Amino acid sequence: MDHNYVHLDQLPSEIIERILFCDALSYVDICRLNCVSQNFNIVGKSNKLWRSKFLQIYPLSASLYDSNNIDWRYELQVRHNCRISILKKLQEMYIEFYYTDHVSNDQFSNFTNVCVDHPLSVQIIIDELWRIMSDSDRYQSLTLKYYARRALKYMRHTYLEHIWQDFLSKDESHISLLKGACLLSQWCQPTDLHCTNSISENINAIVKMAVEEVKRICPNHPLLKQKLPVMVNENCETLQNSVWDPHHCKIILRAINEVIFNKLKFCGSTDIFTCPENNYIDKVLASRSGIPLTLCIVYETVASQLGVSCLPISYPGHFLLKWLERPNFPGIDAYTFIDVCNKGAFKLVNDLIDLTPGHDDSSGSWIQVVPPLKIFTTMCWNLVEIARQHDVDGRELQNLCNVLELLAVLTPADIDHKLLLARVYMHLCINMTRVISLLQEITEQDPLYTGIVSYMYRSAITALETQRVKAEVQKIKYQLRNQIFNVKFAVGMIMKHKK
């Protein structure tokens, strides 16, 4: 026997721990190794080791935790148990709702009970559902992924609804247009968890380019005395008053125009009423094309970070930004208007007449700043119209449902969206309890709608009773395929041709 041979358990603990950090070893391997000996058990309790195994599986979730006070082994155990519970619930769903085309939101409410004691329970459930849905093997467990996608949509909307409510509870002057646009994109793309990840990077890149352009145009600009990159407002809130004097503000605005419209080629989209992506801020930054409203949000955010206040206004038929260039002038004449659909052209009041021939609003009521809530609801109604006009394969109908549900959060007192949402739910035969609640709210708000609502109310009651009866009868009886040994090919399998 070779006396120079050393067993693994004879190595120093530091070397054993270093070996266990290897990515080839999973947390399951660590658990098994802990059962081998007391020495391995002691080494396997290292919190630093378990943190590495957690990040190996959930690299994007670490930011949710305070890494100084976390038991990473416990967190992995919570995730493991959560995944088992979710898989069990999904399997029960496709047995119960096999004959149902669309599943109501009420059927997903039991997912909120998973790991309910954990402070990050909703984020954990969302993460696990997304991992199930985005499994690398695209041809396996398709039914499971189908229900995971719908459960993910429900959980994301539940999570985002609380964020929206906190966001809208702030004073209007502290509401960020960029953050609101990000929340809207996330709501309308609920199964894409990372749709808004690159937004901050894109905005900061534009800011840096604008600073370099200012340096080229005016090397003595006071902006350049700030630390770079300049982040005058780190939360991207709308800046109410400019930091610099009008002369230096105009230099910054010219630099922004050069970067956004000439170097990066941002432009207004021609598919305003056909392409919903023009209302999603992440897609606008990626494609550099959007509607005037979303382009104004990008422009306003960059200008705010560089210390220039550009406030949104709604001129008839156009969405513009106003900038206080002549503070000593009275009323409207004090402002210069920025047309983002014309490469950021600076316009005076008299120049705006050419935008809408025949329109003459001498009162100047349009010069009032558009409230953030009005901007977000306008974007929602844009998406509603797109979905109503282009329902080809039913996917737009689901998009319509998403947007109307967001309008219910933004403007809960509005009747139009409630009535339309109730009709969509009835068309899809889902959420009948919610339909009845919506119709009751409409009747209480405006008795004139009683005639329209009464027929829908009776139909909803009938549909609800029918669903209850069918739920008791139509349940699929299944047998696991791996228990039927004499069947080689079965209905529903993804077939592959043999050469």
Side-chain angles (χ1 to χ4, degrees):
M1 179 183 291
D2 187 356
H3 296 287
N4 294 325
Y5 181 81
V6 179
H7 293 280
L8 180 63
D9 58 351
Q10 295 174 334
L11 292 172
S13 300
E14 294 81 1
I15 296 179
I16 297 175
E17 183 178 342
R18 185 69 176 176
I19 293 172
L20 298 183
F21 270 98
C22 176
D23 289 342
L25 298 175
S26 68
Y27 74 95
V28 177
D29 298 320
I30 306 300
C31 291
R32 289 171 178 168
L33 193 65
N34 287 352
C35 301
V36 172
S37 70
Q38 184 177 4
N39 187 28
F40 286 146
N41 184 267
I42 294 172
V43 174
K45 290 181 178 179
S46 168
N47 199 43
K48 187 177 179 181
L49 173 63
W50 283 102
R51 182 179 183 275
S52 72
K53 297 306 170 185
F54 183 92
L55 296 179
Q56 183 179 332
I57 308 173
Y58 307 103
L60 300 177
S61 300
S63 59
L64 299 174
Y65 299 90
D66 179 9
S67 57
N68 296 326
N69 302 306
I70 293 297
D71 184 348
W72 294 104
R73 181 177 181 178
Y74 170 75
E75 294 300 328
L76 263 175
Q77 183 179 0
V78 169
R79 295 273 184 149
H80 178 76
N81 294 335
C82 176
R83 187 179 182 86
I84 292 174
S85 299
I86 289 174
L87 288 171
K88 182 179 178 180
K89 290 181 183 296
L90 292 175
Q91 290 167 353
E92 291 172 353
M93 289 192 74
Y94 70 71
I95 295 169
E96 185 173 357
F97 301 108
Y98 180 80
Y99 295 102
T100 305
D101 293 331
H102 301 281
V103 183
S104 299
N105 288 344
D106 296 340
Q107 309 301 334
F108 297 104
S109 59
N110 60 348
F111 280 87
T112 57
N113 299 327
V114 177
C115 63
V116 67
D117 297 330
H118 198 283
L120 299 175
S121 60
V122 177
Q123 291 97 316
I124 291 174
I125 296 167
I126 288 172
D127 198 16
E128 290 300 329
L129 285 168
W130 183 81
R131 285 172 56 81
I132 293 170
M133 188 196 74
S134 57
D135 184 10
S136 58
D137 194 341
R138 55 184 298 189
Y139 298 116
Q140 292 292 328
S141 306
L142 298 183
T143 308
L144 201 70
K145 292 175 183 177
Y146 172 86
Y147 288 105
R149 177 180 290 273
R150 275 141 188 80
L152 178 60
K153 170 185 171 295
Y154 172 80
M155 292 302 302
R156 281 274 281 171
H157 283 178
T158 301
Y159 172 66
L160 290 171
E161 183 176 351
H162 294 295
I163 296 180
W164 265 113
Q165 290 171 350
D166 293 339
F167 176 67
L168 296 174
S169 65
K170 299 179 181 178
D171 184 80
E172 285 186 354
S173 60
H174 297 293
I175 289 181
S176 165
L177 295 181
L178 181 67
K179 184 175 180 180
C182 290
L183 290 175
L184 187 144
S185 290
Q186 292 176 52
W187 184 284
C188 295
Q189 304 170 92
T191 57
D192 185 358
L193 300 191
H194 311 301
C195 63
T196 59
N197 279 4
S198 61
I199 288 178
S200 295
E201 295 177 5
N202 288 330
I203 292 293
N204 287 333
I206 297 173
V207 170
K208 290 179 181 179
M209 292 178 67
V211 170
E212 292 300 319
E213 185 64 21
V214 170
K215 187 185 296 185
R216 186 185 68 82
I217 298 173
C218 181
N220 297 322
H221 197 288
L223 170 69
L224 303 177
K225 298 178 183 179
Q226 305 291 324
K227 291 183 179 180
L228 300 179
V230 177
M231 301 293 285
V232 174
N233 197 325
E234 294 181 358
N235 295 322
C236 297
E237 296 175 2
T238 301
L239 197 65
Q240 300 301 315
N241 298 296
S242 297
V243 176
W244 324 109
D245 61 77
H247 171 69
H248 289 111
C249 284
K250 195 159 191 175
I251 293 174
I252 293 174
L253 292 177
R254 284 175 176 167
I256 293 174
N257 286 347
E258 176 65 23
V259 170
I260 291 181
F261 301 110
N262 293 333
K263 291 184 177 180
L264 298 180
K265 306 296 182 182
F266 275 82
C267 62
S269 173
T270 56
D271 299 329
I272 295 178
F273 301 107
T274 59
C275 184
E277 285 76 12
N278 289 324
N279 292 273
Y280 303 155
I281 194 69
D282 57 306
K283 298 294 189 294
V284 171
L285 286 168
S287 65
R288 300 177 184 176
S289 174
I291 60 175
L293 203 156
T294 48
L295 290 178
C296 279
I297 292 175
V298 173
Y299 195 106
E300 180 276 327
T301 302
V302 174
S304 290
Q305 289 189 301
L306 295 176
V308 183
S309 174
C310 297
L311 302 175
I313 62 169
S314 182
Y315 188 77
H318 294 269
F319 204 86
L320 306 170
L321 293 168
K322 70 175 184 179
W323 160 56
L324 186 63
E325 183 178 10
R326 294 168 292 278
N328 297 326
F329 282 43
I332 300 177
D333 294 330
Y335 292 96
T336 294
F337 303 95
I338 302 172
D339 186 1
V340 294
C341 287
N342 188 18
K343 294 188 175 182
F346 301 134
K347 296 180 180 291
L348 302 178
V349 179
N350 296 332
D351 300 328
L352 299 181
I353 299 175
D354 298 334
L355 293 178
T356 310
H359 175 78
D360 183 18
D361 187 355
S362 57
S363 65
S365 58
W366 50 267
I367 201 173
Q368 299 299 321
V369 177
V370 181
L373 182 59
K374 178 66 176 176
I375 292 176
F376 304 141
T377 53
T378 300
M379 294 170 71
C380 287
W381 281 110
N382 288 343
L383 292 168
V384 167
E385 291 304 316
I386 292 172
R388 291 174 71 178
Q389 295 176 25
H390 300 87
D391 185 20
V392 179
D393 55 2
R395 183 171 52 187
E396 293 296 339
L397 196 60
Q398 188 60 53
N399 293 339
L400 175 60
C401 190
N402 289 341
V403 179
L404 290 172
E405 289 171 345
L406 178 55
L407 281 169
V409 177
L410 299 180
T411 55
D414 184 61
I415 292 179
D416 292 337
H417 83 263
K418 288 182 180 179
L419 191 59
L420 184 55
L421 181 58
R423 286 174 174 168
V424 173
Y425 281 159
M426 292 185 68
H427 181 77
L428 297 174
C429 296
I430 58 173
N431 304 334
M432 288 303 162
T433 305
R434 174 66 172 150
V435 169
I436 294 170
S437 175
L438 286 170
L439 296 176
Q440 289 174 342
E441 291 174 11
I442 292 171
T443 306
E444 292 172 1
Q445 285 182 244
D446 193 342
L448 295 177
Y449 281 86
T450 304
I452 301 174
V453 166
S454 57
Y455 173 75
M456 295 177 63
Y457 187 85
R458 291 193 298 271
S459 300
I461 293 292
T462 303
L464 187 61
E465 292 298 325
T466 303
Q467 287 180 355
R468 287 173 179 171
V469 173
K470 287 184 177 180
E472 297 298 326
V473 178
Q474 291 186 334
K475 284 191 177 181
I476 183 173
K477 295 180 180 179
Y478 75 102
Q479 184 176 3
L480 294 177
R481 185 172 294 153
N482 56 10
Q483 295 178 359
I484 310 174
F485 301 105
N486 59 340
V487 175
K488 188 172 183 181
F489 300 109
V491 175
M493 291 178 63
I494 302 296
M495 311 304 292
K496 295 182 180 179
H497 292 284
K498 290 185 176 181
K499 293 184 179 179

